[in-house]
Amino acid sequence: MIVCVAVVGHQNNPVYIQSFTEADDALKLHHIVHCSLDVVDERVNNPKKSGPTLNETFLGLLYPTENYKVRFHSAYVDAVSNPFHVPGKKITSRTFAERVSNIVKSFGLSSAG
Amino acid sequence: MGREVSESCVESLLTEIVSSYCNHFYANKPELAARRIEAIGYQVGHQLSERYTMDRPRFSDHLEAIKFICKDFWSELFKKQIDNLKTNHKGTFVLQDSRFRWLSHMSIDLSSESSGSAQDPSTMAESKAAQATGMYLYFPCGIIRGALSNLGIPCAVSADISSLPACKLLLLNTLRCFSR
């Protein structure tokens, strides 16, 4: 199940962060997201080690056949296309939050079987 | 994919942007109008590059990113690709479009601008026309600068319209970005 969705900006700044369990508090989530950025950096900076996965848009291969990554990306692109959104600042769109939450819900349902 | 509007709407919008900023918001301050229009283009380019790179893998180097601008990005915006790409391999690129679409419906009338001053009227008319036409290039230059910036290539983008309807875009200082 998906526990947290985060969007990180160019300067490693959090642009959107939302948890989907009751347990974790915001600070702990930020910390986990930052640690997972190390994995991303490692993949990007070590092309020989990561091999063919370097050019993949999605660096983490969890469920290669799931299209939820495309749906997240699509929701993000739409949110950023909002002329009132300031690039680099937090995403405040309720529509984006709803879409993310719906994707997480449907992911939870499809992986429960 | 997504919704579309007619091209004439886009052209009318561009004409009105230039008119509003040059004659209304920043009347008699063409440099400020130009900068504002370019900034709007920058944000649009940022957003468009996000959308048009959605299905693509990451770019392996910034030459790949610039080729993307010349082919796919230019096609999405102007329904054609860049006709010629040159570089000095030291951070400067020249993109040449032999028939820039957003100027193709504009008539640049040189004869009606004579002012009766001592200076040769045809050169004055030409430079006035060039200046007027130049205002329409700030928005597309901003778009390209915004797109490149979002792809990790901050640079300066300027246009050379000395041989209309051809348009050359100069990308300068593309090398002063990441060095891993």
Side-chain angles (χ1 to χ4, degrees):
Chain A
M1 65 178 272
I2 293 177
V3 168
C4 169
V5 174
V7 180
V8 182
H10 287 270
Q11 273 90 38
N12 287 351
N13 52 309
V15 172
Y16 181 80
I17 186 158
Q18 179 65 54
S19 85
F20 294 95
T21 67
E22 295 101 27
D24 301 308
D25 63 281
L27 193 58
K28 186 176 164 193
L29 276 182
H30 275 81
H31 186 69
I32 294 173
V33 166
H34 264 276
C35 290
S36 61
L37 283 180
D38 289 341
V39 178
V40 175
D41 272 342
E42 198 192 290
R43 290 276 183 102
V44 169
N45 293 332
N46 292 311
K48 290 194 181 129
K49 282 182 195 163
S50 38
T53 59
L54 179 61
N55 287 332
E56 292 290 315
T57 318
F58 306 107
L59 297 177
L61 294 175
L62 278 174
Y63 294 93
T65 55
E66 290 285 344
N67 71 344
Y68 69 93
K69 291 169 185 165
V70 173
R71 288 154 73 189
F72 277 133
H73 198 170
S74 182
Y76 168 72
V77 166
D78 286 346
V80 159
S81 299
N82 181 346
F84 297 107
H85 173 255
V86 179
K89 298 289 182 197
K90 302 237 158 123
I91 294 175
T92 55
S93 158
R94 231 179 9 190
T95 313
F96 177 73
E98 272 173 34
R99 281 172 80 172
V100 165
S101 156
N102 287 339
I103 297 169
V104 170
K105 274 185 209 146
S106 72
F107 180 79
L109 288 172
S110 70
S111 68
Chain B
M1 97 145 220
R3 282 170 277 182
E4 296 184 337
V5 295
S6 74
E7 193 172 10
S8 57
C9 286
V10 176
E11 289 186 358
S12 301
L13 176 63
L14 300 178
T15 311
E16 188 54 33
I17 290 175
V18 172
S19 168
S20 292
Y21 278 92
C22 291
N23 304 328
H24 186 56
F25 300 129
Y26 295 110
N28 304 317
K29 295 176 205 161
E31 324 80 35
L32 287 182
R35 213 178 307 177
R36 194 71 196 94
I37 294 172
E38 204 270 355
I40 296 172
Y42 181 87
Q43 181 165 347
V44 171
H46 217 267
Q47 295 164 328
L48 287 179
S49 65
E50 201 67 62
R51 188 173 293 278
Y52 297 148
T53 54
M54 204 164 80
D55 303 318
R56 304 183 50 106
R58 296 166 65 84
F59 296 114
S60 45
D61 58 33
H62 60 269
L63 179 61
E64 289 301 308
I66 289 179
K67 277 155 73 172
F68 161 79
I69 296 286
C70 293
K71 292 185 189 177
D72 300 324
F73 195 77
W74 213 263
S75 296
E76 292 279 3
L77 280 177
F78 307 116
K79 301 200 209 295
K80 66 186 283 288
Q81 298 187 357
I82 280 285
D83 298 298
N84 200 329
L85 172 68
K86 286 189 252 202
T87 179
N88 64 356
H89 298 288
K90 290 179 199 159
T92 300
F93 289 85
V94 179
L95 280 56
Q96 186 160 342
D97 187 333
S98 56
R99 193 181 156 76
F100 190 59
R101 195 174 176 99
W102 286 357
L103 293 180
S104 61
H105 293 143
M106 269 182 215
S107 77
I108 298 139
D109 185 7
L110 301 176
S111 57
S112 65
E113 300 250 0
S114 53
S115 64
S117 74
Q119 195 173 349
D120 175 16
S122 66
T123 40
M124 262 209 73
E126 238 176 71
S127 66
K128 260 188 152 181
Q131 201 180 48
T133 315
M135 286 310 290
Y136 293 92
L137 272 304
Y138 284 106
F139 186 66
C141 283
I143 291 179
I144 301 305
R145 189 171 72 89
L148 285 167
S149 167
N150 199 29
L151 298 177
I153 308 175
C155 62
V157 180
S158 57
D160 168 3
I161 44 162
S162 48
S163 45
L164 289 168
C167 171
K168 281 190 209 171
L169 253 63
L170 273 76
L171 312 184
L172 298 170
N173 301 328
T174 65
L175 285 184
R176 56 164 179 85
C177 49
F178 44 26
S179 49
R180 293 188 191 260

PDB file of all heavy atoms in Angstrom, chain A residues 7-19:
ATOM      1  N   VAL A   7       6.233  15.314  -3.626  1.00  0.00           N
ATOM      2  CA  VAL A   7       6.808  15.932  -4.823  1.00  0.00           C
ATOM      3  C   VAL A   7       7.939  16.830  -4.337  1.00  0.00           C
ATOM      4  O   VAL A   7       7.737  17.671  -3.449  1.00  0.00           O
ATOM      5  CB  VAL A   7       5.766  16.780  -5.593  1.00  0.00           C
ATOM      6  CG1 VAL A   7       6.389  17.413  -6.816  1.00  0.00           C
ATOM      7  CG2 VAL A   7       4.577  15.906  -5.995  1.00  0.00           C
ATOM      8  N   VAL A   8       9.128  16.624  -4.894  1.00  0.00           N
ATOM      9  CA  VAL A   8      10.293  17.378  -4.444  1.00  0.00           C
ATOM     10  C   VAL A   8      10.779  18.265  -5.579  1.00  0.00           C
ATOM     11  O   VAL A   8      10.837  17.839  -6.729  1.00  0.00           O
ATOM     12  CB  VAL A   8      11.423  16.420  -4.000  1.00  0.00           C
ATOM     13  CG1 VAL A   8      12.617  17.196  -3.488  1.00  0.00           C
ATOM     14  CG2 VAL A   8      10.917  15.459  -2.933  1.00  0.00           C
ATOM     15  N   GLY A   9      11.130  19.532  -5.240  1.00  0.00           N
ATOM     16  CA  GLY A   9      11.531  20.481  -6.271  1.00  0.00           C
ATOM     17  C   GLY A   9      13.005  20.380  -6.630  1.00  0.00           C
ATOM     18  O   GLY A   9      13.739  19.538  -6.124  1.00  0.00           O
ATOM     19  N   HIS A  10      13.427  21.277  -7.496  1.00  0.00           N
ATOM     20  CA  HIS A  10      14.797  21.261  -8.002  1.00  0.00           C
ATOM     21  C   HIS A  10      15.832  21.438  -6.892  1.00  0.00           C
ATOM     22  O   HIS A  10      16.936  20.913  -6.974  1.00  0.00           O
ATOM     23  CB  HIS A  10      15.005  22.383  -9.032  1.00  0.00           C
ATOM     24  CG  HIS A  10      14.335  22.123 -10.341  1.00  0.00           C
ATOM     25  ND1 HIS A  10      14.961  21.466 -11.387  1.00  0.00           N
ATOM     26  CD2 HIS A  10      13.105  22.417 -10.790  1.00  0.00           C
ATOM     27  CE1 HIS A  10      14.128  21.375 -12.409  1.00  0.00           C
ATOM     28  NE2 HIS A  10      12.996  21.940 -12.076  1.00  0.00           N
ATOM     29  N   GLN A  11      15.458  22.220  -5.856  1.00  0.00           N
ATOM     30  CA  GLN A  11      16.423  22.469  -4.773  1.00  0.00           C
ATOM     31  C   GLN A  11      16.152  21.554  -3.587  1.00  0.00           C
ATOM     32  O   GLN A  11      16.387  21.931  -2.432  1.00  0.00           O
ATOM     33  CB  GLN A  11      16.337  23.936  -4.302  1.00  0.00           C
ATOM     34  CG  GLN A  11      17.213  24.888  -5.093  1.00  0.00           C
ATOM     35  CD  GLN A  11      16.492  25.467  -6.286  1.00  0.00           C
ATOM     36  OE1 GLN A  11      15.325  25.767  -6.201  1.00  0.00           O
ATOM     37  NE2 GLN A  11      17.209  25.634  -7.388  1.00  0.00           N
ATOM     38  N   ASN A  12      15.647  20.362  -3.856  1.00  0.00           N
ATOM     39  CA  ASN A  12      15.303  19.412  -2.790  1.00  0.00           C
ATOM     40  C   ASN A  12      14.286  19.980  -1.810  1.00  0.00           C
ATOM     41  O   ASN A  12      14.224  19.551  -0.655  1.00  0.00           O
ATOM     42  CB  ASN A  12      16.560  18.965  -2.016  1.00  0.00           C
ATOM     43  CG  ASN A  12      17.406  18.015  -2.849  1.00  0.00           C
ATOM     44  OD1 ASN A  12      16.993  17.563  -3.900  1.00  0.00           O
ATOM     45  ND2 ASN A  12      18.603  17.716  -2.370  1.00  0.00           N
ATOM     46  N   ASN A  13      13.511  20.958  -2.251  1.00  0.00           N
ATOM     47  CA  ASN A  13      12.491  21.525  -1.383  1.00  0.00           C
ATOM     48  C   ASN A  13      11.191  20.743  -1.558  1.00  0.00           C
ATOM     49  O   ASN A  13      10.848  20.346  -2.670  1.00  0.00           O
ATOM     50  CB  ASN A  13      12.265  23.000  -1.732  1.00  0.00           C
ATOM     51  CG  ASN A  13      12.001  23.206  -3.226  1.00  0.00           C
ATOM     52  OD1 ASN A  13      12.761  22.735  -4.060  1.00  0.00           O
ATOM     53  ND2 ASN A  13      10.905  23.891  -3.559  1.00  0.00           N
ATOM     54  N   PRO A  14      10.450  20.534  -0.472  1.00  0.00           N
ATOM     55  CA  PRO A  14       9.185  19.797  -0.596  1.00  0.00           C
ATOM     56  C   PRO A  14       8.119  20.663  -1.248  1.00  0.00           C
ATOM     57  O   PRO A  14       7.841  21.757  -0.779  1.00  0.00           O
ATOM     58  CB  PRO A  14       8.826  19.456   0.850  1.00  0.00           C
ATOM     59  CG  PRO A  14       9.529  20.461   1.679  1.00  0.00           C
ATOM     60  CD  PRO A  14      10.746  20.888   0.921  1.00  0.00           C
ATOM     61  N   VAL A  15       7.550  20.181  -2.346  1.00  0.00           N
ATOM     62  CA  VAL A  15       6.516  20.922  -3.046  1.00  0.00           C
ATOM     63  C   VAL A  15       5.138  20.383  -2.675  1.00  0.00           C
ATOM     64  O   VAL A  15       4.134  21.077  -2.732  1.00  0.00           O
ATOM     65  CB  VAL A  15       6.760  20.832  -4.576  1.00  0.00           C
ATOM     66  CG1 VAL A  15       5.616  21.407  -5.380  1.00  0.00           C
ATOM     67  CG2 VAL A  15       8.045  21.550  -4.941  1.00  0.00           C
ATOM     68  N   TYR A  16       5.102  19.115  -2.325  1.00  0.00           N
ATOM     69  CA  TYR A  16       3.841  18.501  -1.891  1.00  0.00           C
ATOM     70  C   TYR A  16       4.193  17.290  -1.062  1.00  0.00           C
ATOM     71  O   TYR A  16       5.079  16.521  -1.419  1.00  0.00           O
ATOM     72  CB  TYR A  16       3.010  18.078  -3.109  1.00  0.00           C
ATOM     73  CG  TYR A  16       1.685  17.465  -2.753  1.00  0.00           C
ATOM     74  CD1 TYR A  16       0.595  18.267  -2.418  1.00  0.00           C
ATOM     75  CD2 TYR A  16       1.517  16.084  -2.720  1.00  0.00           C
ATOM     76  CE1 TYR A  16      -0.621  17.706  -2.074  1.00  0.00           C
ATOM     77  CE2 TYR A  16       0.311  15.514  -2.382  1.00  0.00           C
ATOM     78  CZ  TYR A  16      -0.758  16.332  -2.053  1.00  0.00           C
ATOM     79  OH  TYR A  16      -1.965  15.762  -1.715  1.00  0.00           O
ATOM     80  N   ILE A  17       3.523  17.118   0.067  1.00  0.00           N
ATOM     81  CA  ILE A  17       3.767  15.913   0.862  1.00  0.00           C
ATOM     82  C   ILE A  17       2.484  15.535   1.582  1.00  0.00           C
ATOM     83  O   ILE A  17       1.837  16.380   2.207  1.00  0.00           O
ATOM     84  CB  ILE A  17       4.975  16.110   1.816  1.00  0.00           C
ATOM     85  CG1 ILE A  17       5.319  14.803   2.526  1.00  0.00           C
ATOM     86  CG2 ILE A  17       4.754  17.215   2.828  1.00  0.00           C
ATOM     87  CD1 ILE A  17       6.758  14.784   3.025  1.00  0.00           C
ATOM     88  N   GLN A  18       2.109  14.273   1.426  1.00  0.00           N
ATOM     89  CA  GLN A  18       0.842  13.829   1.995  1.00  0.00           C
ATOM     90  C   GLN A  18       0.989  12.378   2.452  1.00  0.00           C
ATOM     91  O   GLN A  18       1.433  11.533   1.686  1.00  0.00           O
ATOM     92  CB  GLN A  18      -0.272  13.938   0.939  1.00  0.00           C
ATOM     93  CG  GLN A  18      -1.639  13.472   1.394  1.00  0.00           C
ATOM     94  CD  GLN A  18      -2.194  14.348   2.501  1.00  0.00           C
ATOM     95  OE1 GLN A  18      -2.276  15.567   2.363  1.00  0.00           O
ATOM     96  NE2 GLN A  18      -2.546  13.745   3.613  1.00  0.00           N
ATOM     97  N   SER A  19       0.598  12.123   3.685  1.00  0.00           N
ATOM     98  CA  SER A  19       0.673  10.742   4.163  1.00  0.00           C
ATOM     99  C   SER A  19      -0.712  10.105   4.088  1.00  0.00           C
ATOM    100  O   SER A  19      -1.732  10.794   4.106  1.00  0.00           O
ATOM    101  CB  SER A  19       1.179  10.695   5.596  1.00  0.00           C
ATOM    102  OG  SER A  19       0.085  10.873   6.470  1.00  0.00           O
TER     103      SER A  19
END
